[in-house]
Amino acid sequence: MRAMIVKDWGGPENLVERELERPEPGMGEVLVRVHAAGVNPVDWKTRESGGLIPWGPVPAVGWDVSGTVEAVGPGVTLYRAGDEVYGMPRFPQQAGAYAEYVTAPARHLARKPASLSHVEAAALPLAALTAWQALVDTARVSAGQRVLVHAAAGGVGHLAVQIAKARGAYVIGTASAGKHELLRGLGADEVIDYRSTDFEDAVADVDVVIDAVGGDHGERSLKVLRPGGHLVTLPGPDGLPADPRGVHASWVLVEPDLKGLEEIAALVERGLLKPLIDTVLPLEEAAKAHEIGERGRTTGKIVLTVD
């Protein structure tokens, strides 16, 4: 099968195509014929240095997949050959989603939303699960709460806006001025131009902050949170303030989650959640996809087509 691997840690040029042996599903696993693979910041961050991820003898990149079950391993009853599925297998272990085939524990996948193409479905798993686990599992956002989403037009952010809105929250997003109309169309009640306005001067009495930026955003976000509010940071634990001063502060590392994927699919089918696709490229142009992503200018997601 064709697969994209990292020949040496470093720049995008180190992503190269190789012929690898097609994997076989083990016990409790399925073999998926990949139609599309999503691209996420963690992909290029790990390609750069290897990060903390336990890599196999051949570093094969990627986690987000949408495709068709080709075969099932012993003990699998959830799926059969021909089922369309999507998910984020094995994260943060190596999955190798930038390939024609990938194996996955059956419960790391869910049935693909019927209303989405494979390209759209491949844009969802890691980003949507991150948003879901931050908002729902960690902060327990409920109707009437005020939620601030930083980088609201990004891969995680634009989905977090929609999920928070679907749960009845009043949603505030930070983004450049050119993306404000888009975010209002996704349900944002209020949008702040981070280039011209310090968000802590423009908003207050927030129940939940989702920080997809890092740096000093966590510390600054304390100023807008109500007592007992919740700051959830996504880039890493370094973004957590040393003294959260009367609020909850959490770092979320996304996990594979069948139930979460099913909840996300249900929102999609109800018309309450839709991924934005910034760029679609063929598998062999994975290096170009990383170059585009690393510029930090995308709105929504980058997806590779594998067929």
Side-chain angles (χ1 to χ4, degrees):
M1 69 173 187
R2 293 188 303 137
M4 303 302 296
I5 70 158
V6 182
K7 65 174 183 177
D8 295 296
W9 306 121
E13 69 279 2
N14 288 295
L15 268 180
V16 296
E17 184 177 322
R18 289 286 187 269
E19 285 288 327
L20 301 181
E21 185 175 350
R22 193 178 87 171
E24 295 296 330
M27 293 183 67
E29 295 183 343
V30 298
L31 174 68
V32 177
R33 180 163 60 88
V34 179
H35 297 296
V39 177
N40 295 286
V42 68
D43 299 3
W44 57 77
K45 290 175 182 176
T46 54
R47 181 220 67 223
E48 185 71 34
S49 64
L52 301 176
I53 289 168
W55 294 97
V58 179
V61 195
W63 284 275
D64 277 348
V65 296
S66 182
T68 306
V69 174
E70 187 81 2
V72 300
V76 174
T77 58
L78 277 179
Y79 308 113
R80 63 180 64 184
D83 287 343
E84 292 187 321
V85 294
Y86 81 124
M88 181 195 71
R90 305 188 189 280
F91 189 84
Q93 308 289 324
Q94 177 175 322
Y98 293 10
E100 290 182 311
Y101 293 91
V102 66
T103 58
R107 293 181 183 272
H108 288 189
L109 305 168
R111 296 186 185 278
K112 180 184 77 68
S115 61
L116 296 186
S117 68
H118 283 290
V119 166
E120 292 171 317
L124 279 174
L126 192 147
L129 280 176
T130 299
W132 181 269
Q133 291 170 11
L135 287 163
V136 181
D137 296 342
T138 302
R140 302 189 182 280
V141 167
S142 59
Q145 289 190 316
R146 290 166 57 83
V147 176
L148 171 62
V149 180
H150 290 305
V156 173
H158 84 283
L159 298 168
V161 166
Q162 296 175 76
I163 291 171
K165 194 64 182 177
R167 295 186 70 80
Y170 180 92
V171 182
I172 308 158
T174 64
S176 58
K179 298 176 180 178
H180 286 195
E181 184 177 352
L182 169 70
L183 287 172
R184 291 191 180 96
L186 294 178
D189 298 286
E190 191 176 332
V191 192
I192 300 166
D193 182 359
Y194 69 89
R195 291 177 175 170
S196 63
T197 305
D198 291 333
F199 69 85
E200 59 266 46
D201 295 331
V203 64
D205 295 323
V206 171
D207 295 285
V208 176
V209 174
I210 303 298
D211 174 20
V213 178
D216 66 352
H217 273 62
E219 193 71 37
R220 292 168 62 195
S221 293
L222 296 180
K223 301 175 183 178
V224 309
L225 279 164
R226 290 176 176 168
H230 206 135
L231 166 66
V232 185
T233 187
L234 306 178
D238 291 344
L240 289 174
D243 177 11
R245 297 191 290 275
V247 305
H248 304 285
S250 306
W251 169 51
V252 167
L253 178 65
V254 65
E255 304 172 58
D257 180 3
L258 168 62
K259 181 180 177 182
L261 287 170
E262 290 176 337
E263 296 279 6
I264 289 161
L267 288 180
V268 170
E269 301 297 27
R270 290 168 56 198
L272 299 176
L273 182 66
K274 186 173 179 63
L276 298 178
I277 309 299
D278 184 277
T279 305
V280 180
L281 293 168
L283 177 66
E284 59 269 21
E285 294 188 32
K288 182 178 178 180
H290 280 212
E291 289 172 3
I292 293 170
E294 287 180 273
R295 293 175 195 150
R297 306 287 185 186
T298 55
T299 300
K301 296 294 299 293
I302 302 168
V303 179
L304 300 172
T305 55
V306 183
D307 287 343

